[in-house]
Amino acid sequence: MADIINPENEGDLQAQIEEVEALSSIYGDEWCVIDEASRIFCIKISNDLEEPKLTACLQIILPPDYPSASPPIYQINAAWLRGLERAKLANSLEDLYVEHVGESILYLWVEKIREFLVDISQRSDSVDQPEKVNMTAEEDVDDDEDVPDFRTLKLNTDNAHLFSDHADDEEIPPIKHGNTITDRRSTFQPHLSPVVTPRQVKMVLEKLYENKKIASATHNIYAYRIYCEDKHSFLQDCEDDGETAAGGRLLHLLQDEASKQGAKTKKPKSKKTK
């Protein structure tokens, strides 16, 4: 919390506190605080219809400079939401942020997702198996035919449309493998790769999943940030792979580290001496 509370972020922090209080008042039990110190929250959203009952879970991390400069880091968990529908929803949230840049955006995002759920429920032909549409990402799917290939699942289709827009001749960047760490009978291993396009993210993940130990891991989380010079902004995404908020936390660390590096490169103000 010490990194969040500083003179540069005081206005943003106050805006976040007021926004969270308002959302908690509006949505009640649907609004959940996962980690207040790290500004991680979650809300369960439904279409408010009896049949079919669609639900989605929106996980959010509020960066220190939200809402003045950065958007919230988010992930939508819904087992039934895939492919073009997921990409369409992600695009609509990004468009909302661009329209209201610098403003508190979470209420608009929640209601946009709810509006999306209502719309998709009214198009029954867009849901393959209505009896399963009320599942969240934390519930198991028993029907093997409803389970996508593990590589597709772990790539997260939020930005699937971005992976197809680049040339096929891109080279896979080098991958560094860290040492394994065992804690409380769980083993962790980090992997790092300097990616510059979304397609390279896909290439790196596919290369990693060629390793049977990695492919069979209980959770394979990832996060990436790519700076787009033409838009002067970052393209970023993350994946929890069933470990609640883990991908978001990893993305938050990337943002935090970038902020620290940026602070180091700032030139100190000169002082005049008599």
Side-chain angles (χ1 to χ4, degrees), residues 73-142:
I73 302 167
Y74 76 94
Q75 177 165 309
I76 301 172
N77 290 335
W80 53 269
L81 183 61
R82 296 174 186 156
L84 294 178
E85 292 292 353
R86 180 179 282 274
K88 179 180 177 182
L89 178 56
N91 287 338
S92 66
L93 298 184
E94 292 165 8
D95 290 342
L96 262 180
Y97 173 75
V98 172
E99 292 174 12
H100 300 272
V101 64
E103 304 174 14
S104 298
I105 194 69
L106 296 184
Y107 175 78
L108 294 178
W109 273 9
V110 171
E111 292 309 308
K112 172 61 71 172
I113 295 173
R114 195 186 308 279
E115 178 184 313
F116 180 85
L117 297 183
V118 172
D119 178 67
I120 200 172
S121 66
Q122 292 174 346
R123 295 183 283 116
S124 57
D125 59 337
S126 65
V127 180
D128 295 331
Q129 295 182 334
E131 69 276 11
K132 293 184 178 180
V133 296
N134 64 335
M135 294 186 304
T136 66
E138 296 177 359
E139 297 177 2
D140 293 330
V141 180
D142 295 326

Side-chain angles (χ1 to χ4, degrees), residues 59 61 221-223 238-240 243-251:
Q59 294 180 11
I61 296 181
I221 67 171
Y222 72 83
C238 60
E239 169 60 40
D240 288 344
E243 184 71 11
T244 303
R249 289 174 183 269
L250 184 59
L251 182 55

Side-chain angles (χ1 to χ4, degrees), residues 13 25 42-43 53 68 70 77 84 86 100 104 114 133 143 148 150 158 162 167 185 190 192 194 204-205 248 262 270:
L13 179 60
S25 176
C42 179
I43 181 169
K53 184 71 171 179
S68 67
S70 295
N77 290 335
L84 294 178
R86 180 179 282 274
H100 300 272
S104 298
R114 195 186 308 279
V133 296
D143 188 352
F150 72 90
D158 277 3
L162 295 171
R185 293 185 294 181
L192 179 67
V204 168
L205 291 173
S270 60

Side-chain angles (χ1 to χ4, degrees), residues 95-243:
D95 290 342
L96 262 180
Y97 173 75
V98 172
E99 292 174 12
H100 300 272
V101 64
E103 304 174 14
S104 298
I105 194 69
L106 296 184
Y107 175 78
L108 294 178
W109 273 9
V110 171
E111 292 309 308
K112 172 61 71 172
I113 295 173
R114 195 186 308 279
E115 178 184 313
F116 180 85
L117 297 183
V118 172
D119 178 67
I120 200 172
S121 66
Q122 292 174 346
R123 295 183 283 116
S124 57
D125 59 337
S126 65
V127 180
D128 295 331
Q129 295 182 334
E131 69 276 11
K132 293 184 178 180
V133 296
N134 64 335
M135 294 186 304
T136 66
E138 296 177 359
E139 297 177 2
D140 293 330
V141 180
D142 295 326
D143 188 352
D144 291 339
E145 293 182 358
D146 196 41
V147 181
D149 176 79
F150 72 90
R151 293 184 182 180
T152 305
L153 179 65
K154 297 177 187 297
L155 282 174
N156 189 351
T157 52
D158 277 3
N159 291 315
H161 61 293
L162 295 171
F163 290 103
S164 61
D165 294 337
H166 298 274
D168 293 331
D169 58 353
E170 287 190 58
E171 294 184 0
I172 182 171
I175 303 174
K176 292 185 178 180
H177 307 281
N179 297 325
T180 57
I181 301 172
T182 300
D183 180 35
R184 287 170 290 184
R185 293 185 294 181
S186 294
T187 302
F188 307 86
Q189 183 180 24
H191 309 276
L192 179 67
S193 182
V195 298
V196 295
T197 68
R199 178 173 173 77
Q200 285 188 333
V201 177
K202 178 181 179 181
M203 295 168 68
V204 168
L205 291 173
E206 289 181 340
K207 183 65 177 178
L208 289 172
Y209 296 145
E210 290 178 2
N211 185 311
K212 292 182 179 180
K213 289 185 178 180
I214 295 176
S216 61
T218 305
H219 304 290
N220 278 312
I221 67 171
Y222 72 83
Y224 68 85
R225 300 186 79 222
I226 299 172
Y227 184 69
C228 304
E229 294 187 0
D230 56 337
K231 297 182 179 179
H232 301 289
S233 62
F234 283 92
L235 174 63
Q236 57 188 25
D237 198 4
C238 60
E239 169 60 40
D240 288 344
D241 194 23
E243 184 71 11

Side-chain angles (χ1 to χ4, degrees), residues 57-70:
C57 180
L58 175 66
Q59 294 180 11
I60 304 156
I61 296 181
L62 302 181
D65 54 355
Y66 165 81
S68 67
S70 295

